[in-house]
Amino acid sequence: MQTSSVIKVLAAWLLGLLLVIAGAVTAVVVANSFIFNPEEQVHDYLEALDDGDGERALGLLNASVPAANAAMLDGAPLQQSAAAVEDVVVGDAVPVGANRADVTVTYTVRGTEHSSTFPLERTGNEWLFFNTWEFVPTVLPTLDLTVINQGEATLNNTRVAMPEGRNQFAVFYPGGFEAHYTSEYFAAPAQTVAVTERGGSQQLALATAATDVLVEEVNAQVRRFLDECAAQTVFQPANCPFNFQTESRVAGDIRWAITEYPTVAIEPFDGSWVMEPLAGTAELTTSLQDLFTGTIEAVTVPREFGFTARLSVTGDDVTVTPVVQY
C-alpha cells in the first residue's frame, strides 16, 4: 500500500474517532442538561409527593424529621396535601456557586399563587461523566394545629389526636392542608393553609362552637324549666327565678306565663363550655283585694327575671342545671 493511501486511512480513522468522541461529549452534555440536572431531582421529589410515597420523598429531599407527629408524611394525607398543589411549573436551575443551584417551583394552592425554592448541590459524578445532584440537607417544616375544647380533629381527612386541644405535625412542602372538627354538639368550620417553605412552622386554629343541635336542646331544657315554674299557682314558684310580692289579699286564680324566653348562648371558658346569663320576662295574672277598702281588682304584672345555668355535655347526654339565687 502506498504511503499516501496509509495516511488517508489513518486520517479517516482519526476523523471517525474524533466524531465518536465529539458525539460522546455531546451526549454527556445533553444528558447532564436534560436528565442529570437539578430540575430532574425536583421533578422526582414532586412525583413522590403525588404518589403519597413519603419514604422516597424524604430521601430525595435529604430532610430530617422534627420531633412532631408524623401522620401527614405518607399515604392518603400526603397525597391530599400534594393534590392541593396545582398549575406546577418547575423553573430552570439558577447557579449560586461552583457546585450549587436553586430551582424555583411556581404553583397555586386553592387559587392562590405561591412559589418554593429548592437549593441543590452537585455531589459528584456517575460513570465518570454524569453529574449527580442532591437537595441541600434540611429539616421538614411543621404545622401547629389547635382546636378549642376538643381532644381530636380532622386534618387532611385523617382523624388526629389533639392532647389538650393542640398538636404539631411534620409536613412536606409544598402542600395544602385542611382541618376541621365536626360532631353532633360541637363543630369548627374548615380552615386551610399552604406550606411553601423549608423549615419553620405554620399555624392553623379551629374555633369550635356549639352546633344548632346543641343550642336547640339547651333551649328546650331552659324553656321546659321555665314552663314548669309558670305552672305553679303561687306567687313564689319554688326554685324559680321570678316571684311577686303584695300586701293585698288574693281574690282569684294565680296564673303565670312566660312572655319572653331567654336567648341561649354557649361559649368556651377555661377548657369547658358555659352558658351566658339568662334573662327573660314572666307575666302574672290574678285578682287582688285591698285590705282596707275591700275593692277587688284584676291585675296583670310583668316580672323581669334572670338566672344562670350549668351545662354538662357527656357523650350523647346534655344536662342543663338552673342556678337560681334569691
Side-chain angles (χ1 to χ4, degrees):
M1 182 179 294
Q2 297 182 351
T3 302
S4 60
S5 297
V6 172
I7 293 174
K8 289 179 179 179
V9 171
L10 289 174
W13 181 81
L14 288 172
L15 179 59
L17 180 60
L18 290 174
L19 290 174
V20 170
I21 294 173
V25 171
T26 300
V28 169
V29 171
V30 169
N32 281 329
S33 297
F34 295 97
I35 300 176
F36 298 92
N37 58 27
E39 298 94 326
E40 192 63 24
Q41 286 291 96
V42 175
H43 278 292
D44 289 346
Y45 168 69
L46 296 176
E47 183 180 81
L49 297 185
D50 289 336
D51 293 340
D53 190 344
E55 183 177 0
R56 180 165 177 258
L58 191 66
L60 286 168
L61 189 60
N62 204 11
S64 57
V65 180
N69 191 297
M72 296 295 108
L73 296 184
D74 198 46
L78 175 56
Q79 284 182 303
Q80 182 170 334
S81 71
V85 180
E86 300 178 313
D87 309 315
V88 177
V89 177
V90 178
D92 294 333
V94 177
V96 289
N99 292 304
R100 287 210 173 186
D102 285 345
V103 177
T104 298
V105 180
T106 59
Y107 50 90
T108 62
V109 177
R110 299 182 177 91
T112 301
E113 295 183 356
H114 297 278
S115 66
S116 299
T117 298
F118 296 90
L120 295 98
E121 57 186 352
R122 187 166 58 194
T123 56
N125 301 96
E126 287 185 0
W127 303 305
L128 300 179
F129 302 108
F130 303 114
N131 296 332
T132 55
W133 289 87
E134 293 183 359
F135 288 87
V136 173
T138 187
V139 179
L140 290 180
T142 58
L143 175 62
D144 291 335
L145 179 62
T146 59
V147 59
I148 293 175
N149 284 359
Q150 300 300 328
E152 64 176 43
T154 298
L155 179 60
N156 278 14
N157 284 338
T158 300
R159 290 181 64 179
V160 293
M162 299 291 292
E164 298 183 355
R166 63 181 61 249
N167 209 337
Q168 184 180 68
F169 299 87
V171 297
F172 284 105
Y173 77 103
F177 297 86
E178 179 179 282
H180 66 90
Y181 177 80
T182 304
S183 70
E184 183 179 15
Y185 294 138
F186 300 103
Q191 300 294 321
T192 62
V193 68
V195 177
T196 64
E197 302 295 335
R198 58 188 304 206
S201 178
Q202 288 279 4
Q203 313 294 318
L204 203 55
L206 298 180
T208 317
T211 64
D212 290 343
V213 173
L214 178 60
V215 173
E216 290 173 4
E217 172 60 27
V218 171
N219 188 61
Q221 292 193 34
V222 169
R223 286 180 172 237
R224 187 160 55 248
F225 162 70
L226 292 173
D227 289 342
E228 290 173 354
C229 286
Q232 299 183 44
T233 56
V234 294
F235 284 154
Q236 177 69 68
N239 301 316
C240 294
F242 50 83
N243 62 77
F244 177 73
Q245 295 179 353
T246 182
E247 294 180 354
S248 299
R249 177 180 296 153
V250 179
D253 294 335
I254 297 174
R255 294 189 300 273
W256 287 100
I258 307 301
T259 56
E260 182 182 354
Y261 287 94
T263 298
V264 170
I266 301 169
E267 301 292 340
F269 177 76
D270 196 25
S272 61
W273 295 95
V274 298
M275 296 174 58
E276 292 187 359
L278 301 160
T281 304
E283 186 176 81
L284 170 68
T285 301
T286 190
S287 294
L288 298 177
Q289 183 179 37
D290 189 282
L291 295 178
F292 296 100
T293 65
T295 302
I296 297 175
E297 180 183 7
V299 296
T300 299
V301 183
R303 304 294 289 174
E304 295 182 351
F305 62 83
F307 65 104
T308 60
R310 292 191 296 270
L311 174 64
S312 174
V313 182
T314 305
D316 295 332
D317 295 327
V318 177
T319 303
V320 176
T321 304
V323 179
V324 178
Q325 295 180 338
Y326 299 99

